[in-house]
Amino acid sequence: MDDWKGSSTIWPEALRIDWENGVDMTEKGTNQRKFEILRRVKTCRFSLETRFRRSIPLVSLDNALLIGFTILLFLRCYPSITPMPSQINAHDEASYIQSGFDMVHGKMPTLANHPAVSMVFAFAYLVFQKSVLWFIYSEWLVRCILLALLWGSIRLISLGLKDELPEWSILALWALVLFPNRLLDNPSQILFTILLTLAIWQCLLLHRYGRVRHSVAVSFLLGAAFLTRDEGLWVWILTLPCMLLLTVNGLADWIRRRVASIAIALAASLIPFTVMVLAYVGWFYMVTRTVDTHLSNRTYDALEAGQGLSFPERYQGDLYISGIADARRIYGDRAANDNSVILAALRHPLPMLERVARNIIAIPSFAIQANGGFVGIILLIFMLGGIIQLAREKAWGTLGVFLSFSLYLVLYIPFFWLTDYFLFLFPITFFLAAKGIRATIYGQTAWIWAVFVLIPVIGIPVGLLQAGFRIEYAGLAMLAFLLIAAAVVREPNRRPVQLAALGMVLFIMARPTYATNPTLVPDLDSDYETQAAVWLIQHSRPTDTIAGWGATVPYMATRPFLSLEGYLNSPDTMYRWLRENSIEYIYQNPDIRGVFPDVYQTIFNLEARGCLVDKFSDTTNTARIYQTQAVCGLAP
């Protein structure tokens, strides 16, 4: 019976369960049961069932739903994971990919330029550096990694909240509405969302267990978030009171001296964040011999760019460019304000107050747009129901954690709103919405029923009239079916609810609208930006500077890049600028016509005068490459 020694912890539990179930407990029956359990332990000693014998079985409907929603999510996300070069954001996203290339070659981004994102792309560049198409392959790899990390962070926070909701609830909403996938278009945004989600997960564990290691993890993750986006600093500052309170309360059972527990809580909340940031600043100094973070410059850039985005009706063309020019007229020169947003606001309080009022009024509109428009209204209604339900359950700690991580959103009010900013906290939104849906299913917030029943009645006809049978309306119709099935059941019998949700998954997977790009591997050779980049690699020198609007093609070809600006709207001005900056080629894509129509026309005027020569046109005649001529009808 030596083999039984390792199973001594299982045997008493098995006896207790058998006694409760009325199994024969005589000596003969007991010995028989003992050898039967021993045989099972020998064959399954290292299995998940043995280690977690009291957990949900591996083959269960809940786990099947989790797997089904995961498959559905990745099927629907695949077109977003593998974009064409022409589908990549030619400014922010292209700059992030290039920053990985630059970091490998010794050019470090400042603290304000999101170094954590550069590190991720530096890894991707090292994987594909020998390929001509390293640029696009790096983007695909990073999107796959970030999507997997986002899925993992959602899984972890779902496990942390499994006492409140089934583990597949948040994932189900994500797979159905899909709008958080917009974050994939900006690597800093999705990485910031991942780190915030992990920090919220650790803060919920800190609330539950009160252990110092969870406070250390929150501080460490927010330090990484600060290296991803500037907002990470403000998230850390605004969540410090929550972290300190939860840590001190957790230490109360171990340390009776209040001063000692406060000191430990402060160290756990401050040191990891500080070490993370100073480590990068020190690395940056070792490479560049400077410590300029450029944080004030970037904050002031947001002030200027926000003018056009806050008052779009006042400007024509590109809102960023038009707004920046007007912001300089309103708030004065950057140098005069010493790169300080506070100083600019104090010197010109009325324009700032007007912008603050406009951005406050715009919050509901942006929140609804960020959450899918029509679907966003429904999610926000259910989110309110979830907040009410948590308040009824007196889950003040959970609500406090969510509130502390949401406070930083007020910092966007003096600058501008983008719809994606509301998606940084979509796990909180989805959890609260799922909580509201669950409360509705079990009759705890019956006031939502009337609104929810009208969704498929109104939504499906609207979808049919607008753009065919949309996937969102199909999901809502099936979700309504889930509610109808759940209306006749109560805990603990959830089988009709689970079957309804499983039917929803199968229904959506069966429809062909889940993917917009049915090909497994996109045809890169057909993309006009790929063709332009390959031509530059084959026909230009590595030192030749390329001008254009959008840096994707020059960066793909690893060539120096200068951006065309709006003031280059006359042949004389543009040609002089080309010669002064030793620009060899101009890459003309369709975006120039929309942003700078005068610049677009000037390029044709220079070609007509012989100052530019058309050297390349793609197969669809969408993009062109012009070579600058040393001699033409204009004086240099």
Side-chain angles (χ1 to χ4, degrees), residues 204-244:
L204 290 170
L205 294 180
L206 176 63
H207 163 59
R208 179 177 297 178
Y209 302 113
R211 295 172 183 168
V212 176
R213 67 168 183 253
H214 297 308
S215 181
V216 171
V218 173
S219 182
F220 174 82
L221 289 165
L222 293 181
F226 179 40
L227 297 181
T228 303
R229 288 185 70 88
D230 307 340
E231 297 95 313
L233 174 63
W234 298 106
V235 177
W236 175 66
I237 292 173
L238 294 173
T239 54
L240 266 178
C242 179
M243 284 193 291
L244 293 174

Side-chain angles (χ1 to χ4, degrees), residues 405-622:
F405 275 90
S406 305
L407 284 175
Y408 83 97
L409 289 173
V410 301
L411 296 170
Y412 291 117
I413 292 175
F415 299 99
F416 58 88
W417 288 114
L418 291 178
T419 54
D420 292 347
Y421 292 169
F422 288 91
L423 294 179
F424 294 161
L425 297 173
F426 85 87
I428 293 179
T429 304
F430 282 13
F431 166 77
L432 292 173
K435 186 75 174 176
I437 292 172
R438 182 179 176 84
T440 304
I441 288 175
Y442 296 106
Q444 294 164 324
T445 51
W447 59 275
I448 301 180
W449 264 94
V451 176
F452 192 79
V453 170
L454 290 175
I455 294 172
V457 176
I458 299 174
I460 292 178
V462 171
L464 289 170
L465 291 174
Q466 286 184 345
F469 195 64
R470 292 185 55 194
I471 191 74
E472 288 82 1
Y473 300 114
L476 289 172
M478 294 303 297
L479 205 53
F481 172 60
L482 184 151
L483 282 183
I484 294 170
V488 296
V489 299
R490 291 293 183 270
E491 296 282 10
N493 182 16
R494 296 188 302 134
R495 188 55 57 90
V497 181
Q498 294 173 326
L499 289 173
L502 184 60
M504 176 173 57
V505 175
L506 297 175
F507 175 79
I508 294 176
M509 290 180 67
R511 293 198 57 79
T513 53
Y514 69 84
T516 57
N517 185 3
T519 59
L520 184 62
V521 179
D523 184 11
L524 291 175
D525 293 337
S526 65
D527 187 79
Y528 65 86
E529 295 213 325
T530 303
Q531 297 174 30
V534 171
W535 187 92
L536 284 173
I537 293 172
Q538 295 173 347
H539 297 88
S540 66
R541 295 165 297 183
T543 57
D544 287 343
T545 301
I546 315 298
W549 179 250
T552 301
V553 168
Y555 286 163
M556 286 178 70
T558 62
R559 301 294 188 261
F561 168 73
L562 281 179
S563 180
L564 292 171
E565 302 295 342
Y567 69 88
L568 303 173
N569 53 7
S570 70
D572 292 320
T573 304
M574 179 177 285
Y575 185 71
R576 189 179 303 110
W577 180 79
L578 294 173
R579 300 297 293 163
E580 288 174 354
N581 292 281
S582 302
I583 293 173
E584 187 68 21
Y585 294 96
I586 292 179
Y587 171 65
Q588 183 191 63
N589 61 5
D591 294 338
I592 299 179
R593 177 183 294 179
V595 178
F596 298 127
D598 294 338
V599 174
Y600 184 83
Q601 187 59 43
T602 300
I603 293 174
F604 283 108
N605 293 338
L606 286 176
E607 181 189 13
R609 299 188 184 191
C611 303
L612 298 176
V613 176
D614 189 351
K615 289 290 186 178
F616 166 83
S617 178
D618 69 290
T619 53
T620 60
N621 204 25
T622 304

Side-chain angles (χ1 to χ4, degrees), residues 86-205:
S86 57
Q87 296 171 328
I88 293 175
N89 185 303
H91 301 281
D92 290 347
E93 196 169 7
S95 298
Y96 288 133
I97 302 172
Q98 180 67 18
S99 69
F101 173 87
D102 292 338
M103 179 174 277
V104 171
H105 292 86
K107 185 179 178 181
M108 302 289 290
T110 63
L111 194 61
N113 287 329
H114 313 154
V117 183
S118 302
M119 295 177 196
V120 176
F121 278 105
F123 164 76
Y125 171 72
L126 290 174
V127 174
F128 296 111
Q129 60 182 319
K130 294 184 179 180
S131 173
V132 174
L133 299 177
W134 67 270
F135 187 92
I136 187 63
Y137 291 158
S138 297
E139 173 66 4
W140 290 358
L141 176 61
V142 168
R143 288 199 180 202
C144 287
I145 292 173
L146 293 179
L147 182 64
L149 289 175
L150 184 58
W151 179 91
S153 64
I154 295 296
R155 179 82 176 110
L156 289 172
I157 201 172
S158 298
L159 289 172
L161 295 165
K162 65 181 179 181
D163 293 338
E164 303 283 347
L165 288 170
E167 298 173 16
W168 47 267
S169 301
I170 301 177
L171 189 64
L173 283 176
W174 181 14
L176 288 174
V177 299
L178 208 65
F179 50 77
N181 285 12
R182 294 203 306 268
L183 294 171
L184 284 169
D185 295 336
N186 190 313
S188 74
Q189 292 182 355
I190 187 171
L191 184 56
F192 185 68
T193 303
I194 291 166
L195 294 169
L196 277 190
T197 304
L198 293 174
I200 294 168
W201 165 57
Q202 284 295 312
C203 205
L204 290 170
L205 294 180

